Amino acid sequence: MSGDIRARIGEMMPAAHDELAELVAMRSVADPRQFPPEECARAAAWVRDRFAELGVADARLARTPDGSDAVVGSRPSTATDAPTVLLYAHYDVQPPLDESAWRTPPFELTEVDGRWHGRGAADCKGNILMHLLALRALGDDIPVNLKLVVEGSEEQGTGGLERYVEANPDVLRADAILVCDTGNAAVGRPAATVTLRGMANVVVHVEALASEVHSGMFGGPAPDALAALVAMLASLRDDAGNTTIDGLDGTATWTGAPYDPGQFRTDAGVLDGVDLLGDGSVADGLWARPALTVLGIDAPKVVGSTAAIVPRAAARLNLRVPPGMDSQVAHDALAAHLRAHAPWNVRVEVETEAIGSAFRAETDGPAFHAMAAAMQEAYGTPMTTLGQGGSIPLCNVFAETYPGAEIILMGVEEPLALIHAPNESVDPSEIEHLAIAEALFLRSYGGAAR
């Protein structure tokens, strides 16, 4: 059954490389402070035109409330009782960060040891190519009503598409939604992501003095805002590295597929001799328990610092919230904890930056079973289920807006892809095999529904 699809996609892979190179060359960071907005406009037009060529005749740019453009469109089936499938990806990318840390130019697709390197090669432009290959392999034989959305500001977290969906629910309404912005357990090990952590981002501000004062003249009795902040941050983890926020349960366990600690050390680049954190399993810490990360601190730099007591300091904190835990409750607990653990009655302000709910997918519907069968046929090995430490707030909006839809999270972004980091890459075999799986899914899900 899959031989024709497999052969067609295999033949198209060299051209897919060239197309991905075109797309990666577009510096589509959705932040005009860093890159010209014309770069995102070019990427959006490229995506629109490619899908229009495949029968998404109404492919168009839809302006979302945050000012970004999403590519939306549809391709109806000739069958009146065909189910509707929505394909999702995003064309915006993370900034390259430290370009000197890249071994290859970040916006030039470069093959190294069989992997294709470049910003967005995996997250998420590789998934756009996956969609294109699957639809090209099926040609005119697509037995479902197709809908498409490729958003342009996912990495910024500004909620443009979320608010667009809420305001225009019928545009993307579907029976099955393929959110292609996650990945497999490893290259060649197919997986669907069934849980996503929520998040609460805050900035905590600490103030102790009206201004800097000489550490020799006043050091000792004078309260140090930076020392106070350090003490507050230290209270958020215990000696084993467990996140410890007053009122939040940090003892839950993960019941799905495990994550081998040795593999995790390799995937995360943990240095030899450095311990992993927490007293549970790796999967417990990643997918079942709250996890606090200090993202940044405002304080004097070492170079240029003076013998002065720091009067004020701030830290940006990211709390990942597991499914089953309310993100607003977690946020409030974090804010209360910071205030309660502030020493010396320093002044504390907790600024809310963002709150997003956790997500759990249903795994007993016809679309999920059809995808599991398609993955196994494409890869020759059974599909497993994973949690995902990241947050995709759009999934909750989809679930609330389309309560009857099955939401399947998948994609080309396995651990070696190094998404959001320097030297991002994609294994082309993942694009190929997942395109085969998607094509098989569309064929079987549409046929079964009729």
Side-chain angles (χ1 to χ4, degrees), residues 202-208 225 229 232 298 311-317 338-339 342 346-352:
V202 304
V203 178
V204 56
H205 302 267
V206 177
E207 190 170 15
L229 177 62
M232 294 160 63
D298 283 345
R312 62 191 64 85
R316 184 176 182 231
L317 309 180
L338 291 166
R339 295 187 181 100
V346 295
R347 296 180 182 178
V348 176
E349 178 188 352
V350 180
E351 173 191 352
T352 301

Side-chain angles (χ1 to χ4, degrees), residues 251-321:
T251 63
T253 57
W254 173 254
T255 58
Y259 199 149
D260 177 74
Q263 184 63 51
F264 177 82
R265 294 183 70 91
T266 298
D267 294 342
V270 180
L271 300 179
D272 290 344
V274 177
D275 295 337
L276 299 183
L277 303 187
D279 55 16
S281 70
V282 169
D284 293 340
L286 275 178
W287 304 324
R289 299 178 179 181
L292 191 285
T293 300
V294 180
L295 300 180
I297 294 179
D298 283 345
K301 294 181 179 180
V302 170
V303 176
S305 58
T306 63
I309 300 173
V310 176
R312 62 191 64 85
R316 184 176 182 231
L317 309 180
N318 169 242
L319 177 62
R320 296 292 176 168
V321 182

Side-chain angles (χ1 to χ4, degrees), residues 90-404:
H90 64 85
Y91 64 79
D92 68 304
V93 299
Q94 284 282 330
L97 302 177
D98 181 7
E99 293 199 28
S100 66
W102 284 76
R103 294 186 294 271
T104 63
F107 294 107
E108 181 180 319
L109 194 68
T110 307
E111 184 168 342
V112 179
D113 297 330
R115 296 183 67 94
W116 298 347
H117 289 247
R119 176 58 89 218
D123 181 20
C124 183
K125 293 174 178 179
N127 289 309
I128 296 173
L129 265 294
M130 177 190 75
H131 289 321
L132 291 171
L133 287 168
L135 298 184
R136 287 167 180 162
L138 291 172
D140 294 330
D141 183 23
I142 301 180
V144 301
N145 297 307
L146 274 180
K147 289 188 177 181
L148 171 74
V149 60
V150 182
E151 71 169 308
S153 60
E154 192 275 341
E155 300 292 10
Q156 294 301 309
T158 46
L161 185 59
E162 289 95 311
R163 284 178 282 161
Y164 177 85
V165 170
E166 292 166 346
N168 304 274
D170 289 336
V171 173
L172 302 180
R173 191 179 305 278
D175 301 296
I177 301 173
L178 304 189
V179 178
C180 295
D181 193 18
T182 61
N184 288 339
V187 173
R189 293 174 54 196
T193 297
V194 296
T195 66
L196 297 169
R197 288 195 288 194
M199 56 91 177
N201 281 7
V202 304
V203 178
V204 56
H205 302 267
V206 177
E207 190 170 15
L209 299 169
S211 66
E212 290 83 355
V213 293
H214 195 286
S215 61
M217 296 178 64
F218 298 98
D224 179 335
L226 183 54
L229 177 62
V230 169
M232 294 160 63
L233 299 180
S235 73
L236 295 168
R237 286 193 184 272
D238 63 18
D239 290 343
N242 296 292
T243 293
T244 51
I245 296 174
D246 298 342
L248 292 190
D249 178 22
T251 63
T253 57
W254 173 254
T255 58
Y259 199 149
D260 177 74
Q263 184 63 51
F264 177 82
R265 294 183 70 91
T266 298
D267 294 342
V270 180
L271 300 179
D272 290 344
V274 177
D275 295 337
L276 299 183
L277 303 187
D279 55 16
S281 70
V282 169
D284 293 340
L286 275 178
W287 304 324
R289 299 178 179 181
L292 191 285
T293 300
V294 180
L295 300 180
I297 294 179
D298 283 345
K301 294 181 179 180
V302 170
V303 176
S305 58
T306 63
I309 300 173
V310 176
R312 62 191 64 85
R316 184 176 182 231
L317 309 180
N318 169 242
L319 177 62
R320 296 292 176 168
V321 182
M325 183 177 289
D326 185 281
S327 293
Q328 184 66 56
V329 170
H331 164 276
D332 294 347
L334 173 59
H337 179 106
L338 291 166
R339 295 187 181 100
H341 288 263
W344 319 317
N345 291 315
V346 295
R347 296 180 182 178
V348 176
E349 178 188 352
V350 180
E351 173 191 352
T352 301
E353 194 174 65
I355 299 175
S357 298
F359 172 79
R360 188 185 303 274
E362 299 295 332
T363 60
D364 57 356
F368 188 88
H369 291 305
M371 182 59 75
M375 288 274 204
Q376 177 154 0
E377 190 168 355
Y379 279 90
T381 190
M383 184 184 83
T384 189
T385 57
L386 300 175
Q388 173 67 264
S391 304
I392 307 179
L394 178 64
C395 289
N396 296 90
V397 174
F398 280 153
E400 293 165 5
T401 307
Y402 314 121

